């Protein structure tokens, strides 16, 4: 390599290095793109603006990084540059990322050429002007805000320039002067007002301009066609950004009445503070010596009277006061005059000319002579009817149930608190809380509709009220729950009598929309002696009600303290369980069912597990009973069924013969919709019906034989198979088996457990062989559960049991582990 080449290379390297430094230190964003508008290089400033690294851009287009619109706009411009070779200089570009972050650039874009002058891409440099744009937007916004404020304020607002010519007036101002804004702009005070007033206004204006300080005062106005009015005015200098005064802004409002009252008071050379809030107050001034009252025009108008219709006698006031409020007002006045209160403040109703009462608030202050004796009393009266109505409505809503108009929970607790307090003071008072819950209200709602349901609740409320004494409180807590506070009981047993009476009353049918509806209630009774805490009493009565429900419907139960701890634990579990369904904390575990002959997995039983957030994996024994009691089992079982079907369907890709056993609680059979639900699961998951086996317990087929036979028949029609679970533990009347379309029985593990043991109990083994023989006779299959040892398996084979399940093969495991079992197909020998 010659010296020249080395030098040239070195120089090139140096240039490249300089260029790199320049690019990376430049505060402006720089990019290079190829002819396809792909980024080939961007500098740090560019990448940082979007929180990315320069290499994140390489090979990407704007479409990969920015919103469609921004990318499209940039793309079109760059294509244009490539086509024409013309640069675009300092235009405003708005880029928005796909996440919605945005930026305003001032950008310049040009074509890049190779040494031979051919265009090979584009180059752009952009300056961030987002801050600037935002500031501009803010100015526009705050101007709009100012404008709408100025136009909605009840005050008159105007602006003048340094020559004291009007530059602006809001609508109120224009109305007040009686001219339009265009007529007013450019005019001075002498063009608009009498000379003496104009001079005074301008003197005040000049003072503001000179001093740069705010002026406040009372001005006289003489609007055309009206008498003199007084306005409170505030004048403020308008400053430019450097702080120079460039005009003034004024704001004023009518205070005529107030000023006249002040004047009147000043005239009598008495000065005192008068708390008058605004133009809506009616003024009054009571001369106590002469016993006359000056009533302001507003005061009279508030009651619907014209100036001349009301005289100056105190009786004009007192005779219109609601009889119930009159003494209260007189007492307040007397208290203030006697110096017992700092000022007069009273609320009362007054008769309006239209013969309706309106709520009024009066505030006043006495004027006293040197001896401290009140000589006059003056004040203002405000109409507060709207406020009072709103308050009443609010308190009604806060304390009464809107459907039944009965007290709600809050008011009930309040009354209960009073009762507790009374009982503490006087040992001989007794009270009790009754908690009522309708039996099967849901059925009414479901079958007759919510409108009838609501009617029923109302009617029940009425009946309840009729069956207690006036001092007692009947409340509705919500839904179909009512509570009663029985106050002042003579005998503790009396609460029980009331409960019995209520139950008898509610047994009578209700006739609603021509239909007879029968209902009953379960009642829990908490005697006032069980706690000092209202909330606890309510809870205890609820617990007792729950007990009553458990005993069978239409009962009552009196709370005793042993119910408490059980109830608390139960309640926690129940709440957890409800949440578990919402939060999907259930898991499905699978236990293999194995063919005795081939020792291969032929199916699984799906078993529910609860992944409790704090207690870990909860076994079914700890939550199934509660789930059954609360009815949550229905949703849970269907969920397990759905999961298991989806899982089995997916396994069938590799193991087509696989079937799945799912447990069905007996609760399903007291509920309509089971058949439809199963059908839906099959439809939705696409599992072949013959692969689904429903395990039901003997208790199901013991009740109500014809109806159950019908449901089972319809399930069979769907094509699913039916298994009888835990066979042998229940009533096991083998003779009725043939009446139901059962496909197989599962021999309970308590029998299997006895097999192959030393000293095996003869009758158990016998039973197993009887069952298998019977099953064969009835053409039913047999599955033995709980197989734990090789010997048991041997015995079962000898007894011609075809399928087995148990820890000997595997415990129930999650889907992933089950799949491993399927793949390995251990043959367990
Ligand atoms: P089950 O239907 O009789 O289920 C068989 C139970 O026996 C399972 O208990 C299983 O783990 C256990 N087991 C299996 N092989 C052996 C063994 O070799 N030795 C012993 N000692 N036990 C064995 P698990 O999973 O605790 O379920 C208990 C019960 O909970 C079930 O009895 C069933 O009645 C109920 N259950 C479980 N999942 C559901 C469900 O999704 N819905 C309904 N309704 N009930 C369910
Ligand atoms: Ca089972
Ligand atoms: Ca079983």
């Amino acid at each position: 390599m010659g010296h020249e080449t080395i030098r040239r290379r070195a120089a090139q390297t140096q240039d490249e290095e300089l260029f790199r430094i320049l690019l990376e230190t430049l505060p402006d964003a720089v990019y290079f793109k190829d002819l396809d508008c792909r980024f080939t290089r961007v500098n740090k400033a560019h990448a940082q603006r979007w929180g990315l690294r320069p290499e994140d851009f390489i090979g990407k287009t704007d479409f990969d990084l920015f919103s469609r619109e921004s990318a499209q706009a940039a793309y079109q411009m760059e294509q244009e540059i490539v086509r024409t070779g013309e640069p675009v200089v300092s235009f405003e570009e708005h880029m928005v990322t796909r996440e919605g972050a945005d930026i305003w650039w001032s950008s310049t874009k040009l074509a890049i050429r190779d040494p031979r002058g051919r265009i090979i891409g584009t180059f752009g440099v952009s300056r961030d002007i987002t801050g600037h744009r935002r500031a501009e937007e803010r100015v526009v916004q705050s101007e709009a805000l100012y404008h709408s404020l100025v136009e909605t304020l009840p005050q008159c607002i105007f602006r003048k320039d340094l020559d004291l010519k009007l530059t602006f007036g809001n609508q109120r101002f224009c109305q007040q002067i009686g001219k339009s804004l265009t007529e007013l702009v450019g005019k001075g005070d002498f063009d608009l007002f009498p000379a003496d007033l104009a001079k005074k206004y301008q003197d005040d204006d000049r003072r503001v301009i000179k001093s740069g300080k705010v002026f406040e005062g009372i001005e006289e106005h003489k609007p055309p066609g009206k008498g003199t009015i007084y306005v409170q005015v505030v004048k403020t200098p308008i400053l430019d950004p450097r702080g120079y005064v460039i005009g003034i802004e004024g704001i004023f409002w009518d205070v005529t009445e107030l000023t006249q009252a002040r004047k009147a008071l000043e005239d009598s050379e008495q000065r005192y503070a008068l708390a008058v809030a605004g133009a809506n107050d009616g003024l009054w001034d009571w001369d106590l010596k002469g016993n006359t009252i000056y009533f302001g025009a507003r005061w009279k108008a508030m009651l619907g009277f014209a100036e001349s219709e009301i005289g100056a006698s105190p009786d004009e006031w007192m005779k219109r006061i609601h009889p119930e409020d009159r003494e209260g007002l007189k007492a307040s006045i007397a208290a203030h005059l006697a110096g017992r209160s700092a000022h007069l403040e009273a609320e009362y109703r007054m008769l309006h000319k239209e013969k309706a009462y309106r709520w009024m608030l009066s505030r006043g202050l006495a004027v006293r002579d040197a001896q401290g004796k009140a000589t006059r009393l003056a004040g203002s009266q405000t109409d507060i009817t709207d406020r009072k109505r709103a308050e009443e409505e609010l308190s009604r809503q806060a304390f009464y149930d809107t459907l039944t108009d009965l007290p709600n929970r809050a008011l009930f607790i309040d009354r209960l608190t009073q009762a507790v307090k009374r009982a503490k003071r006087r040992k001989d008072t007794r009270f009790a809380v009754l908690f009522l819950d309708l039996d099967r209200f849901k059925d009414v709602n479901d079958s007759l509709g919510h409108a009838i349901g609501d009617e029923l609740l109302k009617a029940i409320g009425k009946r309840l009220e009729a069956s207690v004494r006036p001092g007692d409180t009947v409340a509705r807590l919500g839904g179909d729950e009512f509570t009663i506070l029985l106050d002042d009981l003579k005998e503790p047993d009396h609460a029980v009598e009331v409960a019995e009476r209520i139950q008898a009353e509610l047994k009578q049918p209700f006739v609603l929309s021509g239909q007879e509806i029968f209902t009953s209630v379960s009642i829990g009774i908490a005697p006032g002696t069980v706690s000092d805490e209202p909330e606890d009493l309510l809870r205890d009565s609820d617990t007792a009600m729950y007990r009553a429900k458990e005993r069978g419907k239409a009962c009552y139960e009196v709370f005793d303290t042993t119910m408490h701890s059980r109830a608390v634990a139960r309640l926690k579990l129940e709440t957890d369980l409800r949440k578990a369904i919402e939060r999907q904390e259930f898991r499905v575990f699978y236990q293999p069912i194995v063919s005795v002959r081939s020792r291969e997995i032929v199916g699984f039983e799906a078993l529910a597990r609860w992944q409790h957030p704090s207690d870990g994996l909860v076994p079914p024994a700890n939550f199934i009973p509660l789930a059954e009691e609360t009815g949550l089992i229905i949703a849970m079982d269907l969920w397990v069924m759905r999961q298991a079907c989806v899982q089995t369907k997916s396994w069938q890709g590799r193991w087509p013969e696989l079937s799945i056993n799912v447990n069905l609680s007996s609760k399903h059979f007291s509920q309509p919709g089971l058949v439809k639900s199963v059908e839906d699961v099959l439809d939705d998951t696409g599992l072949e019906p013959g692969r689904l086996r429903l395990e039901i317990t003997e208790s199901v087929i013991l009740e109500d034989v014809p109806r159950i036979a019908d449901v089972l028949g319809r399930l069979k029609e769907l094509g699913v198979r039916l298994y009888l679970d835990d066979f042998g533990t229940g009533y096991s009347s083998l003779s009725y088996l043939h009446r139901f379309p059962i496909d197989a029985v599962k021999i309970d593990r308590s029998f299997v457990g006895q097999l192959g043991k030393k000293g095996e109990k003869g009758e158990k083994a016998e039973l197993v062989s009887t069952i298998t023989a019977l099953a064969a006779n009835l053409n039913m299959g047999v599955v033995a559960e709980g197989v734990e040892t090789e010997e048991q398996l041997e015995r079962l084979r000898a007894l011609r049991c075809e399928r087995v399940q148990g820890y000997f093969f595997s415990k129930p495991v999650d889907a992933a582990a089950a799949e491993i079992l399927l793949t390995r197909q251990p043959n367990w020998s």
Side-chain angles (χ1 to χ4, degrees):
M1 215 186 317
H3 273 298
E4 192 49 29
T5 330
I6 293 174
R7 218 183 49 77
R8 232 183 17 244
R9 289 260 168 99
Q12 259 172 14
T13 325
Q14 220 170 12
D15 281 349
E16 166 60 21
E17 177 62 6
L18 266 174
F19 178 61
R20 198 185 59 75
I21 291 171
L22 180 67
L23 213 54
E24 293 315 322
T25 51
L26 203 65
D28 291 342
V30 175
Y31 74 84
F32 296 82
K33 287 179 182 167
D34 63 17
L35 286 173
D36 292 325
C37 295
R38 287 181 192 285
F39 287 101
T40 53
R41 180 164 189 172
V42 308
N43 71 347
K44 230 188 246 148
H46 188 287
Q48 272 168 358
R49 192 59 190 75
W50 303 108
L52 298 169
R53 295 163 308 162
E55 52 270 36
D56 296 334
F57 286 80
I58 307 308
K60 301 252 173 58
T61 69
D62 283 337
F63 288 95
D64 300 321
L65 300 157
F66 300 106
S67 76
R68 250 204 95 68
E69 290 92 311
S70 356
Q72 189 74 37
Y75 179 80
Q76 273 167 1
M77 181 172 291
E78 282 153 14
Q79 288 296 304
E80 188 68 14
I81 292 170
V82 168
R83 204 171 54 77
T84 61
E86 293 287 322
V88 183
V89 181
S90 294
F91 72 99
E92 282 192 9
E93 189 182 22
H94 186 207
M95 296 299 280
V96 183
T97 61
R98 292 160 151 226
E99 290 74 32
D102 69 336
I103 185 174
W104 287 91
W105 303 115
S106 167
S107 301
T108 293
K109 301 189 178 205
L110 18 123
I112 319 172
R113 296 168 193 271
D114 68 9
R116 277 179 293 165
R118 277 184 318 203
I119 294 177
I120 55 166
T122 55
F123 156 85
V125 50
S126 302
R127 175 155 299 175
D128 190 343
I129 54 163
T130 311
H132 184 67
R133 284 291 297 226
R134 293 270 149 77
E136 274 174 11
E137 277 165 20
R138 271 199 295 276
V139 168
V140 171
Q141 270 168 9
S142 69
E143 253 164 23
L145 182 67
Y146 171 80
H147 187 74
S148 68
L149 202 63
V150 156
E151 290 305 347
T152 48
L153 280 175
Q155 283 88 356
C156 299
I157 297 171
F158 63 85
R159 287 202 295 266
K160 292 178 185 170
D161 61 18
L162 288 179
D163 297 330
L164 304 184
K165 301 274 188 256
L166 282 165
T167 56
F168 172 78
N170 71 352
Q171 278 173 30
R172 290 252 167 185
F173 178 81
C174 297
Q175 276 164 14
Q176 181 80 12
I177 310 288
K179 292 202 157 57
S180 75
L181 182 58
T182 33
E183 286 175 304
L184 286 174
V185 169
K187 296 263 165 39
D189 296 278
F190 286 96
D191 305 326
L192 298 165
F193 310 113
D196 54 335
L197 290 182
K199 181 175 179 313
K200 183 176 176 312
Y201 298 159
Q202 294 209 340
D203 287 347
D204 291 340
D205 294 346
R206 292 216 178 80
R207 215 172 305 143
V208 172
I209 291 171
K210 239 177 120 181
S211 67
K213 292 212 179 91
V214 175
F215 165 84
E216 265 184 79
I218 305 268
E219 279 179 359
E220 241 177 76
H221 280 197
K222 292 201 175 100
K226 292 181 205 155
T228 303
I229 64 164
Y230 293 91
V231 299
Q232 172 88 38
V233 58
V234 179
K235 291 180 175 174
T236 318
I238 306 175
L239 306 179
D240 76 355
R242 288 163 308 160
Y244 292 106
V245 177
I246 53 168
I248 65 157
E249 180 172 79
I251 168 166
F252 63 85
W253 61 97
D254 191 333
V255 290
T256 310
E257 210 178 342
L258 181 73
T259 315
Q260 274 164 354
R262 282 220 184 108
K263 273 224 158 78
L265 291 173
E266 280 165 9
D267 288 350
S268 67
E269 291 183 358
Q270 300 284 0
R271 310 188 111 259
Y272 56 89
L274 188 60
V276 178
N280 271 332
D281 295 335
L283 298 176
W284 51 267
D285 187 353
W286 192 340
D287 175 359
L288 296 169
K289 284 180 290 186
N291 204 24
T292 54
I293 304 188
Y294 157 78
F295 295 113
R298 261 308 289 154
W299 194 96
K300 296 174 185 172
M302 273 158 71
L303 296 168
F305 293 98
E307 184 73 66
S308 58
E309 286 180 293
I310 287 186
S313 150
D315 197 39
E316 297 277 14
W317 190 0
M318 292 304 154
K319 74 177 180 199
R320 293 189 170 87
I321 307 243
H322 193 291
E324 284 175 20
D325 301 338
R326 203 174 289 148
E327 291 314 309
L329 175 60
K330 284 185 177 164
S332 303
I333 293 175
H336 179 57
L337 292 181
R340 287 197 303 271
S341 60
H343 62 267
L344 168 71
E345 180 158 337
E347 292 182 3
Y348 46 85
R349 283 159 290 177
M350 273 191 93
L351 194 59
H352 191 268
K353 192 178 184 187
E354 306 298 333
K355 299 289 168 231
Y357 280 100
R358 299 196 63 84
W359 275 99
M360 299 289 171
L361 161 69
S362 256
R363 291 206 191 90
L365 203 63
V367 180
R368 297 170 195 280
D369 62 17
Q371 283 74 44
K373 186 171 172 358
T375 55
R376 57 194 304 166
L377 180 62
S380 65
Q381 174 168 282
T382 316
D383 187 323
I384 54 165
T385 311
D386 290 346
R387 191 197 85 201
K388 278 282 185 186
R389 289 220 180 106
E391 279 171 8
E392 273 163 23
E393 184 51 31
L394 280 178
S395 77
R396 248 190 51 74
Q397 280 180 12
F399 292 113
Y400 288 88
D401 169 47
T402 39
L403 177 67
T404 59
D405 267 338
L406 293 173
N408 65 7
R409 185 194 181 92
L411 184 53
F412 186 79
I413 290 288
D414 185 59
R415 301 248 171 105
L416 189 50
T417 311
Q418 302 306 322
V420 170
K421 280 192 193 142
R422 263 198 309 280
K424 265 193 205 153
R425 276 201 307 272
R426 293 184 35 213
K427 289 286 168 242
D428 58 332
T429 55
R430 295 203 173 83
F431 66 95
V433 176
L434 266 53
F435 198 107
L436 294 80
D437 188 288
L438 298 192
D439 302 325
R440 285 181 295 269
F441 177 65
K442 199 177 162 302
D443 293 350
V444 173
N445 257 344
D446 290 349
S447 56
L448 302 176
H450 285 273
I452 300 263
D454 284 354
E455 286 309 309
L456 180 61
L457 291 173
K458 281 196 226 174
I460 287 174
K462 292 225 174 68
R463 256 189 220 181
L464 291 177
E465 276 193 307
S467 33
V468 299
R469 293 181 304 171
D472 299 335
T473 302
V474 177
R476 176 170 174 244
L477 295 198
D480 57 351
E481 291 177 348
F482 293 86
T483 49
I484 300 180
L485 170 62
L486 296 176
D487 217 350
D488 221 355
L489 293 175
K490 296 281 166 299
E491 295 294 326
D493 284 355
H494 191 68
V496 168
E497 282 163 30
V498 176
E500 282 169 351
R501 191 165 69 227
I502 287 172
Q503 273 167 338
E505 282 291 323
L506 295 187
K507 276 219 184 77
Q508 304 303 313
F510 290 86
V511 182
L512 298 173
S513 311
Q515 310 202 40
E516 279 202 331
I517 299 171
F518 289 86
T519 121
S520 61
V521 279
S522 301
I523 303 181
I525 303 173
T529 45
V530 294
S531 171
D532 281 352
E533 289 298 325
E535 288 284 354
D536 290 354
L537 283 166
L538 194 61
R539 185 203 57 212
D540 293 344
S541 63
D542 189 5
T543 305
M545 185 282 295
Y546 207 87
R547 285 271 117 169
K549 278 243 153 129
E550 279 177 340
R551 277 210 305 143
K553 314 256 143 101
C555 296
Y556 64 83
E557 189 79 57
V558 181
F559 179 82
D560 80 73
T561 38
T562 58
M563 289 178 184
H564 181 61
S565 46
R566 248 182 306 164
V568 169
R570 215 194 99 92
L571 197 67
K572 180 179 178 307
L573 191 61
E574 186 177 336
T575 318
D576 282 1
L577 200 57
R578 281 185 199 282
K579 288 201 191 124
I581 292 182
E582 281 164 27
R583 296 184 190 155
Q584 310 212 333
E585 289 168 3
F586 292 108
R587 306 279 174 272
V588 181
F589 271 42
Y590 297 88
Q591 187 177 34
I593 298 176
V594 177
S595 153
V596 173
R597 202 171 31 77
S598 70
R599 297 218 171 179
E600 278 177 3
I601 297 175
V602 293
F604 290 99
E605 176 174 4
L607 293 156
R609 295 290 182 270
W610 177 8
Q611 186 69 53
H612 192 285
S614 54
D615 300 354
L617 210 57
V618 184
N622 296 3
F623 64 89
I624 298 270
L626 184 62
E628 294 199 311
E629 244 175 75
T630 51
L632 292 169
I633 192 77
I634 306 277
M636 213 192 82
D637 275 355
L638 291 172
W639 183 85
V640 169
M641 186 187 300
R642 189 171 285 269
Q643 296 295 306
C645 287
V646 169
Q647 184 61 71
T648 308
K649 177 80 188 167
S650 92
W651 279 331
Q652 279 177 342
R654 279 178 70 190
W655 300 281
E657 300 300 311
L658 219 52
S659 59
I660 184 77
N661 284 38
V662 173
N663 293 286
L664 261 198
S665 159
S666 61
K667 295 287 165 208
H668 288 277
F669 293 87
S670 56
Q671 201 91 25
L674 170 63
V675 182
K676 174 81 171 70
S677 304
V678 175
E679 193 177 1
D680 286 348
V681 170
L682 289 170
D683 283 351
D684 296 348
T685 60
L687 187 75
E688 186 196 323
R691 296 293 170 191
L692 177 62
R693 282 105 211 250
L694 302 179
E695 297 192 1
I696 59 173
T697 56
E698 282 171 311
S699 61
V700 168
I701 56 176
L702 283 173
E703 324 170 357
D704 193 3
V705 176
R707 208 175 60 82
I708 297 295
D710 171 58
V711 174
L712 295 180
R714 287 195 289 136
L715 284 172
K716 284 290 295 182
E717 275 167 26
L718 290 180
V720 302
R721 309 240 168 121
L722 300 175
Y723 279 42
L724 205 56
D725 204 356
D726 305 342
F727 192 74
T729 55
Y731 308 83
S732 300
S733 166
L734 301 178
S735 56
Y736 62 57
L737 265 185
H738 71 275
R739 281 195 257 153
F740 297 95
I742 304 291
D743 295 282
V745 295
K746 294 188 81 173
I747 303 179
D748 191 69
R749 66 168 179 274
S750 57
F751 298 94
V752 177
Q754 297 300 326
L755 297 175
K757 264 199 185 159
K758 275 224 179 79
E760 173 185 316
K761 295 212 180 68
E763 71 268 30
K764 289 271 178 180
E766 193 130 314
L767 237 165
V768 174
S769 73
T770 315
I771 293 170
T772 46
L774 175 90
N777 227 322
L778 290 172
N779 228 348
M780 289 181 187
V782 174
V783 182
E785 286 191 305
V787 179
E788 294 183 352
T789 64
E790 178 81 57
E791 292 97 277
Q792 287 167 354
L793 180 58
E794 273 316 305
R795 299 280 287 117
L796 287 164
R797 186 215 305 279
L799 291 168
R800 279 179 231 299
C801 182
E802 336 162 83
R803 276 166 291 160
V804 283
Q805 177 182 351
Y807 292 174
F808 177 67
F809 306 100
S810 166
K811 290 198 170 178
V813 292
D814 65 19
E819 188 162 331
I820 291 171
L821 286 175
L822 277 173
T823 316
R824 287 210 328 254
Q825 285 285 358
N827 75 351
W828 290 295
S829 45

